Amino acid sequence: MSRAWAEGTLETYASGLLAWHVFCDSKFIPEEQRAPASPVLVATFLASMASLFSNKTLHNYVYGICAWHILHGAMWAMNEDEIKTMLMAAEKLTPATSKRKKRNPFTPALITTIRQHLALDSPLDAAVFACLTTCFYATAPLGEFTVRRLDAFDPARHVTPANLSASHSREGDAVTVLHIPVTKTSAQGEDVYWASQHGLTNPVTALEHHMQVNNPPLNGHLFVYRHSKGHRPLTKTKFLERISLATRAAGLEPLQGHGIRIGATLEYLLRGVPFDIIKAKGRWSSDAFLIYLTRHAQVLAPYMQAMPRLHDAFTHLVVPPV
């Protein structure tokens, strides 16, 4: 059952479990009353945290306790509606200091600026830039293209050069396909894909350059870089560290890894890519990606004109010329 949750999720849940035991210790709650925990005790725990942490943090805390119960065969007696109501209340009580600032999206222009502050002849920077551009145009989470630790690489779980392939549409449009062996939502893995782009952010040329500089082994991590001790897989920490240095050198605000997927979603929407196509490309099972619409007016502008250009293009395709 422990394999039902992703490694990152378990680590997040562990912090909630720690908070739970600290709370119970402070209230002198005996061990046998912590699992199975009574609904009143769990509700008291949430109430005590409500004005201290964000809604998302408390969500992870309570479901971490729930997962702990499930793993150890203890009855989880909390009412789901009660949890939702308490989390809604916690959202309203969240202090401003606990609310995370909105993540700034990456853009092609921003990626071009970052490129100017990377030394692409350097093995590390070549790997970082290839990872950044492919992750962006693939609309993929950064964690799927990097590893958590240097010793965590597993070819059965992480991307390798062997997972790369090429495909073409009937019209001859070329795309690069990368199979991710295991994802957060699929144990069988999923495919992501990108196409060649104009300008300096082209993921195809960036990946080719990385291959020339670092020559990753066929079954090694796709974004390894040469090091004095051999090849090293690109960790998420090292990637973000290098991007942070580049953005700081450019005089830009610090960026977070999740901003890559946010920016990619926004970029494709601004190009007029339909919402359902974006949903499929980003592999969302729900409409969660709609929270990325940080520029609603720009995204929706083509659909709101008196004579929408998108409608004209569609008519041109389906109505025969006179």
Side-chain angles (χ1 to χ4, degrees):
M1 285 196 293
S2 64
R3 290 184 173 271
W5 295 276
E7 182 182 357
T9 302
L10 289 175
E11 289 181 2
T12 301
Y13 282 178
S15 63
L17 199 55
L18 174 62
W20 167 252
H21 285 298
V22 169
F23 166 79
C24 289
D25 287 344
S26 70
K27 302 297 181 183
F28 303 103
I29 306 298
E31 292 274 343
E32 62 271 15
Q33 292 182 22
R34 302 181 187 189
S38 71
V40 173
L41 183 59
V42 177
T44 304
F45 168 73
L46 282 174
S48 70
M49 300 282 184
S51 60
L52 302 175
F53 298 98
S54 70
N55 170 274
K56 184 174 182 181
T57 298
L58 293 183
H59 180 281
N60 288 329
Y61 279 9
V62 72
Y63 285 104
I65 301 169
C66 175
W68 181 57
H69 276 65
I70 293 171
L71 279 173
H72 293 281
M75 179 66 69
W76 178 247
M78 278 298 293
N79 181 287
E80 191 65 26
D81 289 335
E82 185 176 355
I83 292 177
K84 288 180 180 178
T85 302
M86 293 201 70
L87 290 176
M88 286 170 59
E91 176 70 25
K92 295 180 179 180
L93 293 171
T94 300
T97 52
S98 293
K99 291 183 178 179
R100 180 180 290 173
K101 291 174 65 177
K102 283 190 175 181
R103 296 178 176 93
N104 291 323
F106 280 68
T107 65
L110 181 59
I111 294 174
T112 300
T113 301
I114 290 173
R115 183 183 187 276
Q116 295 169 357
H117 294 275
L118 294 175
L120 295 184
D121 290 337
S122 156
L124 173 59
D125 285 4
V128 165
F129 190 66
C131 181
L132 172 59
T133 54
T134 53
C135 189
F136 181 83
Y137 287 107
T139 328
L142 178 60
E144 293 181 344
F145 280 37
T146 56
V147 296
R148 300 180 69 83
R149 303 180 308 275
L150 286 175
D151 61 352
F153 171 70
D154 179 355
R157 302 184 64 84
H158 298 105
V159 292
T160 71
N163 298 133
L164 284 168
S165 63
S167 185
H168 297 80
S169 69
R170 291 183 177 181
E171 292 74 25
D173 298 320
V175 293
T176 302
V177 181
L178 175 64
H179 180 70
I180 303 171
V182 177
T183 68
K184 205 169 185 177
T185 58
S186 175
Q188 288 71 45
E190 297 176 288
D191 289 344
V192 295
Y193 25 84
W194 60 86
S196 182
Q197 305 291 316
H198 297 299
L200 297 175
T201 65
N202 187 352
V204 175
T205 54
L207 186 60
E208 288 175 349
H209 177 72
H210 160 63
M211 293 290 197
Q212 292 172 0
V213 171
N214 288 303
N215 191 27
L218 187 62
N219 292 307
H221 188 241
L222 177 59
F223 297 107
V224 296
Y225 55 95
R226 292 185 182 277
H227 189 265
S228 58
K229 296 182 180 179
H231 282 111
R232 274 192 174 178
L234 183 62
T235 64
K236 186 175 181 179
T237 301
K238 177 60 71 173
F239 174 90
L240 293 174
E241 175 187 297
R242 193 64 194 92
I243 293 296
S244 177
L245 288 173
T247 52
R248 197 179 308 143
L252 302 171
E253 289 186 10
L255 296 165
Q256 294 176 311
H258 203 52
I260 299 173
R261 200 180 191 199
I262 294 173
T265 303
L266 184 59
E267 173 64 20
Y268 283 119
L269 287 171
L270 290 172
R271 292 183 183 186
V273 177
F275 288 76
D276 55 337
I277 300 298
I278 286 294
K279 184 175 179 179
K281 189 178 189 310
R283 296 170 288 137
W284 282 284
S285 58
S286 68
D287 292 332
F289 75 98
L290 294 176
I291 63 174
Y292 295 165
L293 296 182
T294 54
R295 299 179 189 172
H296 293 75
Q298 294 179 42
V299 171
L300 298 176
Y303 299 90
M304 297 186 294
Q305 305 307 306
M307 292 293 292
R309 292 189 304 277
L310 295 176
H311 175 73
D312 291 343
F314 178 75
T315 303
H316 177 74
L317 287 171
V318 300
V319 178
V322 177

